[in-house]
Amino acid sequence: RLGKATFIPLDTIRVSATNMDPLRQLGGSFKLVIDVFKYEEDTHKALLYACGNTLLCDTQAEAKELCYSGSTAGKYKVVTKDGTIFHKSGNMSGGFSMKDKHRTSKWDDKEVAKVQQRRTALYNEFVQLERQERTERPSREVSAQIEAVKQRLQYSKMDLDHITKKVKDYAEDIKLKEKDLAQKRVALQKLQAEIAKDQKKIDAMRKKISKVSETVFAEFSRSVGVENIAEYEEKRLAAAEERSKRKIELAEAESRLLGALQYEKSRNSNKILKSLKKKLATLQKKN
Protein backbone atom coordinates (compact mmCIF):
# COMPACT_ATOMS: atom_id res chain seq x y z
CA ARG A 1 0.00 0.00 0.00
CA LEU A 2 1.36 3.42 -0.98
CA GLY A 3 -0.75 5.51 1.37
CA LYS A 4 -2.80 8.55 0.57
CA ALA A 5 -1.99 10.92 -2.30
CA THR A 6 -3.36 14.24 -3.48
CA PHE A 7 -3.54 14.95 -7.20
CA ILE A 8 -3.42 18.60 -8.32
CA PRO A 9 -4.73 19.19 -11.87
CA LEU A 10 -2.72 22.00 -13.44
CA ASP A 11 -5.53 23.05 -15.78
CA THR A 12 -8.06 23.84 -13.00
CA ILE A 13 -6.16 25.10 -9.94
CA ARG A 14 -6.24 28.79 -9.12
CA VAL A 15 -3.42 30.49 -7.14
CA SER A 16 -3.17 34.12 -6.01
CA ALA A 17 -0.21 36.05 -7.45
CA THR A 18 0.87 37.70 -4.19
CA ASN A 19 4.24 39.37 -3.78
CA MET A 20 6.43 36.98 -1.70
CA ASP A 21 9.61 39.04 -1.77
CA PRO A 22 9.04 40.45 1.77
CA LEU A 23 8.94 36.87 3.09
CA ARG A 24 12.29 36.17 1.51
CA GLN A 25 13.79 39.09 3.45
CA LEU A 26 12.82 38.00 6.99
CA GLY A 27 16.42 37.09 7.75
CA GLY A 28 17.79 34.29 9.88
CA SER A 29 17.33 30.82 8.41
CA PHE A 30 13.83 31.59 7.10
CA LYS A 31 13.12 30.59 3.53
CA LEU A 32 9.99 30.07 1.46
CA VAL A 33 9.28 26.34 1.18
CA ILE A 34 8.65 26.72 -2.53
CA ASP A 35 12.16 28.13 -2.97
CA VAL A 36 13.67 24.95 -1.54
CA PHE A 37 12.31 22.74 -4.33
CA LYS A 38 13.87 22.25 -7.74
CA TYR A 39 11.12 21.81 -10.30
CA GLU A 40 10.10 22.35 -13.89
CA GLU A 41 8.42 25.63 -14.66
CA ASP A 42 5.19 23.94 -15.80
CA THR A 43 4.68 22.56 -12.25
CA HIS A 44 5.10 25.95 -10.58
CA LYS A 45 1.35 26.45 -10.14
CA ALA A 46 0.97 23.08 -8.43
CA LEU A 47 3.81 23.74 -5.98
CA LEU A 48 2.54 27.21 -5.26
CA TYR A 49 -0.95 25.79 -4.64
CA ALA A 50 0.47 23.16 -2.25
CA CYS A 51 3.05 25.27 -0.41
CA GLY A 52 1.53 28.73 -0.53
CA ASN A 53 3.55 31.19 1.55
CA THR A 54 4.71 28.58 4.11
CA LEU A 55 8.17 29.28 5.56
CA LEU A 56 11.02 26.91 6.42
CA CYS A 57 13.59 27.46 9.23
CA ASP A 58 16.27 25.47 11.04
CA THR A 59 15.05 25.40 14.65
CA GLN A 60 11.88 25.46 16.67
CA ALA A 61 13.20 28.47 18.63
CA GLU A 62 13.28 30.62 15.49
CA ALA A 63 9.80 29.46 14.55
CA LYS A 64 8.38 30.20 18.01
CA GLU A 65 9.89 33.66 18.05
CA LEU A 66 8.35 34.51 14.69
CA CYS A 67 4.97 32.89 15.27
CA TYR A 68 4.34 33.72 18.92
CA SER A 69 6.12 37.06 19.54
CA GLY A 70 5.22 40.66 18.85
CA SER A 71 3.46 41.91 15.76
CA THR A 72 4.25 38.79 13.67
CA ALA A 73 2.26 36.46 15.91
CA GLY A 74 -0.36 34.50 13.96
CA LYS A 75 0.71 35.77 10.54
CA TYR A 76 2.93 32.96 9.29
CA LYS A 77 2.87 29.22 8.84
CA VAL A 78 6.34 27.82 9.55
CA VAL A 79 7.90 24.37 9.16
CA THR A 80 11.15 23.41 10.89
CA LYS A 81 13.72 20.95 9.58
CA ASP A 82 12.69 18.37 12.21
CA GLY A 83 9.16 18.39 10.74
CA THR A 84 7.39 20.52 13.36
CA ILE A 85 4.62 22.69 11.90
CA PHE A 86 3.63 26.00 13.51
CA HIS A 87 0.15 26.92 12.28
CA LYS A 88 -1.24 30.44 12.08
CA SER A 89 -3.81 29.48 14.69
CA GLY A 90 -1.00 28.85 17.18
CA ASN A 91 -1.20 25.05 17.10
CA MET A 92 1.85 22.83 16.67
CA SER A 93 1.92 19.43 14.94
CA GLY A 94 4.43 16.85 13.68
CA GLY A 95 8.09 17.11 14.42
CA PHE A 96 10.71 14.93 16.10
CA SER A 97 11.03 15.25 19.90
CA MET A 98 13.74 14.12 22.26
CA LYS A 99 11.46 11.37 23.41
CA ASP A 100 11.26 10.06 19.86
CA LYS A 101 15.04 10.31 19.59
CA HIS A 102 15.44 8.33 22.82
CA ARG A 103 13.01 5.69 21.60
CA THR A 104 14.80 5.25 18.29
CA SER A 105 18.18 5.04 20.00
CA LYS A 106 17.07 1.76 21.53
CA TRP A 107 17.42 0.12 18.13
CA ASP A 108 21.00 -0.88 17.33
CA ASP A 109 22.32 -2.08 14.01
CA LYS A 110 22.08 -5.76 14.96
CA GLU A 111 18.40 -5.52 15.81
CA VAL A 112 17.73 -3.60 12.64
CA ALA A 113 19.56 -6.29 10.71
CA LYS A 114 17.51 -8.99 12.45
CA VAL A 115 14.28 -7.17 11.56
CA GLN A 116 15.44 -6.81 7.98
CA GLN A 117 16.36 -10.48 7.83
CA ARG A 118 12.99 -11.38 9.29
CA ARG A 119 11.31 -9.14 6.75
CA THR A 120 13.30 -10.78 3.94
CA ALA A 121 12.42 -14.27 5.23
CA LEU A 122 8.73 -13.42 5.48
CA TYR A 123 8.79 -11.89 2.03
CA ASN A 124 10.48 -15.00 0.59
CA GLU A 125 7.92 -17.18 2.38
CA PHE A 126 5.14 -15.06 0.92
CA VAL A 127 6.62 -15.41 -2.60
CA GLN A 128 6.95 -19.17 -2.09
CA LEU A 129 3.36 -19.46 -0.89
CA GLU A 130 2.16 -17.39 -3.82
CA ARG A 131 4.04 -19.66 -6.25
CA GLN A 132 2.67 -22.72 -4.49
CA GLU A 133 -0.85 -21.29 -4.65
CA ARG A 134 -0.47 -20.69 -8.39
CA THR A 135 0.85 -24.22 -8.82
CA GLU A 136 -1.87 -25.86 -6.73
CA ARG A 137 -4.73 -23.79 -8.13
CA PRO A 138 -5.16 -25.95 -11.28
CA SER A 139 -5.03 -29.13 -9.17
CA ARG A 140 -7.69 -27.69 -6.85
CA GLU A 141 -9.84 -26.82 -9.84
CA VAL A 142 -9.37 -30.34 -11.22
CA SER A 143 -10.24 -31.77 -7.78
CA ALA A 144 -13.38 -29.65 -7.69
CA GLN A 145 -14.33 -30.86 -11.17
CA ILE A 146 -13.67 -34.47 -10.11
CA GLU A 147 -15.89 -34.02 -7.05
CA ALA A 148 -18.62 -32.53 -9.24
CA VAL A 149 -18.34 -35.48 -11.65
CA LYS A 150 -18.44 -37.92 -8.72
CA GLN A 151 -21.57 -36.25 -7.40
CA ARG A 152 -23.23 -36.40 -10.82
CA LEU A 153 -22.15 -40.04 -11.11
CA GLN A 154 -23.73 -40.77 -7.73
CA TYR A 155 -26.99 -39.16 -8.83
CA SER A 156 -26.82 -41.11 -12.11
CA LYS A 157 -26.33 -44.37 -10.17
CA MET A 158 -29.34 -43.53 -8.01
CA ASP A 159 -31.40 -42.89 -11.15
CA LEU A 160 -30.11 -46.14 -12.69
CA ASP A 161 -31.04 -48.11 -9.55
CA HIS A 162 -34.50 -46.54 -9.59
CA ILE A 163 -35.00 -47.34 -13.28
CA THR A 164 -33.63 -50.87 -12.83
CA LYS A 165 -36.09 -51.48 -9.99
CA LYS A 166 -38.94 -50.21 -12.18
CA VAL A 167 -37.86 -52.47 -15.05
CA LYS A 168 -37.71 -55.42 -12.67
CA ASP A 169 -41.19 -54.63 -11.33
CA TYR A 170 -42.53 -54.28 -14.88
CA ALA A 171 -40.91 -57.61 -15.83
CA GLU A 172 -42.54 -59.34 -12.85
CA ASP A 173 -45.87 -57.77 -13.74
CA ILE A 174 -45.51 -58.92 -17.36
CA LYS A 175 -44.73 -62.48 -16.18
CA LEU A 176 -47.85 -62.51 -13.99
CA LYS A 177 -49.99 -61.17 -16.83
CA GLU A 178 -48.53 -63.69 -19.29
CA LYS A 179 -49.23 -66.49 -16.82
CA ASP A 180 -52.80 -65.25 -16.34
CA LEU A 181 -53.21 -64.93 -20.11
CA ALA A 182 -51.97 -68.48 -20.64
CA GLN A 183 -54.49 -69.74 -18.07
CA LYS A 184 -57.28 -67.79 -19.76
CA ARG A 185 -56.26 -69.18 -23.17
CA VAL A 186 -56.50 -72.71 -21.81
CA ALA A 187 -59.90 -71.89 -20.31
CA LEU A 188 -60.96 -70.31 -23.64
CA GLN A 189 -59.90 -73.40 -25.56
CA LYS A 190 -61.89 -75.59 -23.18
CA LEU A 191 -64.88 -73.28 -23.52
CA GLN A 192 -64.60 -73.29 -27.33
CA ALA A 193 -64.43 -77.09 -27.29
CA GLU A 194 -67.55 -77.24 -25.12
CA ILE A 195 -69.32 -74.73 -27.40
CA ALA A 196 -68.38 -76.83 -30.43
CA LYS A 197 -69.82 -79.92 -28.72
CA ASP A 198 -72.99 -78.05 -27.81
CA GLN A 199 -73.23 -76.72 -31.41
CA LYS A 200 -73.02 -80.26 -32.75
CA LYS A 201 -75.77 -81.28 -30.36
CA ILE A 202 -77.87 -78.29 -31.45
CA ASP A 203 -77.31 -79.10 -35.12
CA ALA A 204 -78.25 -82.73 -34.51
CA MET A 205 -81.36 -81.64 -32.61
CA ARG A 206 -82.34 -79.27 -35.44
CA LYS A 207 -82.00 -82.07 -37.93
CA LYS A 208 -84.23 -84.25 -35.78
CA ILE A 209 -86.76 -81.42 -35.40
CA SER A 210 -86.65 -80.85 -39.16
CA LYS A 211 -87.30 -84.54 -39.88
CA VAL A 212 -90.12 -84.66 -37.37
CA SER A 213 -91.61 -81.43 -38.81
CA GLU A 214 -91.41 -82.84 -42.36
CA THR A 215 -93.16 -86.01 -41.21
CA VAL A 216 -95.87 -84.19 -39.24
CA PHE A 217 -96.52 -81.52 -41.87
CA ALA A 218 -95.95 -83.69 -44.97
CA GLU A 219 -99.63 -83.77 -45.96
CA PHE A 220 -100.03 -80.04 -45.26
CA SER A 221 -96.94 -79.27 -47.36
CA ARG A 222 -98.37 -81.21 -50.33
CA SER A 223 -101.71 -79.44 -49.98
CA VAL A 224 -100.12 -75.97 -50.18
CA GLY A 225 -97.68 -76.94 -52.90
CA VAL A 226 -94.38 -76.74 -51.02
CA GLU A 227 -91.63 -79.29 -50.55
CA ASN A 228 -91.58 -79.02 -46.75
CA ILE A 229 -92.86 -76.95 -43.88
CA ALA A 230 -89.60 -74.92 -43.72
CA GLU A 231 -90.17 -73.68 -47.27
CA TYR A 232 -93.74 -72.80 -46.35
CA GLU A 233 -92.57 -70.82 -43.32
CA GLU A 234 -90.03 -68.96 -45.46
CA LYS A 235 -92.67 -68.05 -48.08
CA ARG A 236 -95.17 -67.02 -45.45
CA LEU A 237 -92.58 -64.87 -43.71
CA ALA A 238 -91.60 -63.22 -47.00
CA ALA A 239 -95.28 -62.55 -47.82
CA ALA A 240 -95.85 -61.08 -44.36
CA GLU A 241 -92.87 -58.81 -44.80
CA GLU A 242 -94.10 -57.71 -48.24
CA ARG A 243 -97.57 -56.93 -46.82
CA SER A 244 -96.09 -54.96 -43.98
CA LYS A 245 -93.96 -52.98 -46.40
CA ARG A 246 -96.95 -52.32 -48.66
CA LYS A 247 -99.05 -51.15 -45.71
CA ILE A 248 -96.38 -48.67 -44.74
CA GLU A 249 -96.21 -47.33 -48.31
CA LEU A 250 -100.02 -47.01 -48.51
CA ALA A 251 -100.12 -45.27 -45.12
CA GLU A 252 -97.54 -42.78 -46.29
CA ALA A 253 -99.41 -42.16 -49.54
CA GLU A 254 -102.67 -41.77 -47.65
CA SER A 255 -101.04 -39.29 -45.30
CA ARG A 256 -99.72 -37.27 -48.25
CA LEU A 257 -103.15 -37.25 -49.92
CA LEU A 258 -104.94 -36.27 -46.75
CA GLY A 259 -102.50 -33.44 -46.34
CA ALA A 260 -103.09 -32.32 -49.90
CA LEU A 261 -106.86 -32.67 -49.35
CA GLN A 262 -106.77 -30.47 -46.31
CA TYR A 263 -104.73 -27.95 -48.24
CA GLU A 264 -107.16 -27.94 -51.12
CA LYS A 265 -110.10 -27.66 -48.76
CA SER A 266 -108.58 -24.53 -47.41
CA ARG A 267 -108.44 -23.21 -51.00
CA ASN A 268 -112.09 -24.16 -51.62
CA SER A 269 -111.18 -25.98 -54.84
CA ASN A 270 -114.17 -28.33 -55.40
CA LYS A 271 -112.92 -29.86 -58.64
CA ILE A 272 -109.55 -30.88 -57.26
CA LEU A 273 -111.24 -32.01 -54.06
CA LYS A 274 -113.48 -34.46 -55.92
CA SER A 275 -110.50 -35.86 -57.79
CA LEU A 276 -108.58 -36.37 -54.60
CA LYS A 277 -111.59 -38.08 -52.94
CA LYS A 278 -111.80 -40.43 -55.91
CA LYS A 279 -108.11 -41.32 -55.64
CA LEU A 280 -108.49 -41.85 -51.92
CA ALA A 281 -111.46 -44.16 -52.40
CA THR A 282 -109.46 -46.18 -54.96
CA LEU A 283 -106.52 -46.54 -52.54
CA GLN A 284 -108.83 -47.61 -49.72
CA LYS A 285 -110.36 -50.32 -51.93
CA LYS A 286 -106.91 -51.65 -52.76
CA ASN A 287 -106.02 -51.77 -49.06
Side-chain angles (χ1 to χ4, degrees):
R1 298 181 60 181
L2 300 178
K4 296 182 179 180
T6 302
F7 295 90
I8 304 174
L10 295 174
D11 57 344
T12 59
I13 58 174
R14 297 289 183 268
V15 293
S16 59
T18 58
N19 186 9
M20 295 186 180
D21 289 337
L23 298 176
R24 294 185 176 95
Q25 299 173 5
L26 289 174
S29 64
F30 289 105
K31 300 176 184 177
L32 281 167
V33 172
I34 193 172
D35 292 341
V36 178
F37 292 103
K38 291 182 180 180
Y39 55 88
E40 300 293 335
E41 186 60 30
D42 55 358
T43 61
H44 175 71
K45 286 174 62 178
L47 287 169
L48 186 58
Y49 176 82
C51 299
N53 56 1
T54 304
L55 296 170
L56 174 67
C57 67
D58 294 339
T59 64
Q60 292 186 14
E62 285 184 286
K64 288 179 181 178
E65 185 178 354
L66 180 65
C67 294
Y68 299 153
S69 302
S71 60
T72 59
K75 291 184 178 182
Y76 303 104
K77 180 179 180 182
V78 181
V79 180
T80 63
K81 286 185 177 181
D82 63 4
T84 304
I85 303 174
F86 292 82
H87 299 273
K88 291 181 180 180
S89 61
N91 294 329
M92 292 175 58
S93 62
F96 189 78
S97 65
M98 293 302 294
K99 184 178 180 182
D100 296 327
K101 186 176 180 180
H102 177 70
R103 187 165 51 246
T104 57
S105 65
K106 294 180 180 179
W107 294 84
D108 57 14
D109 294 339
K110 289 183 179 180
E111 290 178 342
V112 172
K114 286 181 182 179
V115 172
Q116 289 178 343
Q117 289 176 359
R118 177 61 177 164
R119 175 190 175 281
T120 302
L122 291 173
Y123 178 76
N124 292 334
E125 184 179 355
F126 168 75
V127 172
Q128 184 64 27
L129 288 173
E130 192 175 36
R131 290 176 181 172
Q132 184 177 354
E133 197 275 335
R134 286 199 299 267
T135 303
E136 293 178 353
R137 187 184 303 162
S139 62
R140 287 200 301 270
E141 291 176 355
V142 171
S143 300
Q145 292 175 359
I146 291 173
E147 289 299 323
V149 171
K150 285 182 179 179
Q151 196 171 24
R152 289 198 297 270
L153 180 60
Q154 184 179 0
Y155 291 147
S156 299
K157 285 181 179 179
M158 292 172 63
D159 292 339
L160 179 61
D161 293 341
H162 181 67
I163 293 171
T164 303
K165 185 178 181 302
K166 276 191 173 182
V167 171
K168 186 177 179 181
D169 294 341
Y170 289 150
E172 292 294 331
D173 190 44
I174 290 171
K175 285 182 181 179
L176 292 174
K177 285 181 168 54
E178 286 179 346
K179 184 178 180 181
D180 184 56
L181 181 62
Q183 292 175 353
K184 288 180 178 178
R185 282 176 178 171
V186 173
L188 178 62
Q189 289 175 355
K190 289 182 180 179
L191 183 61
Q192 288 175 341
E194 291 177 359
I195 291 172
K197 289 180 181 179
D198 292 339
Q199 188 64 42
K200 287 181 180 179
K201 291 178 181 179
I202 291 170
D203 293 342
M205 186 62 67
R206 283 178 176 172
K207 287 181 180 179
K208 288 181 180 179
I209 292 171
S210 178
K211 287 182 179 180
V212 171
S213 298
E214 289 177 358
T215 302
V216 171
F217 294 102
E219 184 177 352
F220 175 76
S221 298
R222 287 194 296 272
S223 65
V224 296
V226 295
E227 186 174 350
N228 51 48
I229 191 64
E231 182 181 350
Y232 173 76
E233 290 293 335
E234 289 177 0
K235 288 183 177 181
R236 191 178 71 168
L237 180 61
E241 289 178 353
E242 181 64 25
R243 285 196 300 272
S244 177
K245 182 179 178 181
R246 183 62 179 168
K247 281 183 179 181
I248 292 171
E249 291 176 353
L250 290 173
E252 291 176 351
E254 183 179 4
S255 178
R256 286 195 298 272
L257 290 172
L258 287 173
L261 180 61
Q262 292 295 329
Y263 175 71
E264 292 301 332
K265 278 182 178 180
S266 64
R267 295 178 59 189
N268 295 321
S269 179
N270 294 328
K271 184 177 180 180
I272 297 174
L273 181 62
K274 288 180 181 180
S275 176
L276 290 173
K277 285 182 177 180
K278 187 176 180 181
K279 287 181 180 181
L280 180 60
T282 303
L283 288 172
Q284 288 175 346
K285 286 180 181 180
K286 289 181 179 181
N287 192 17

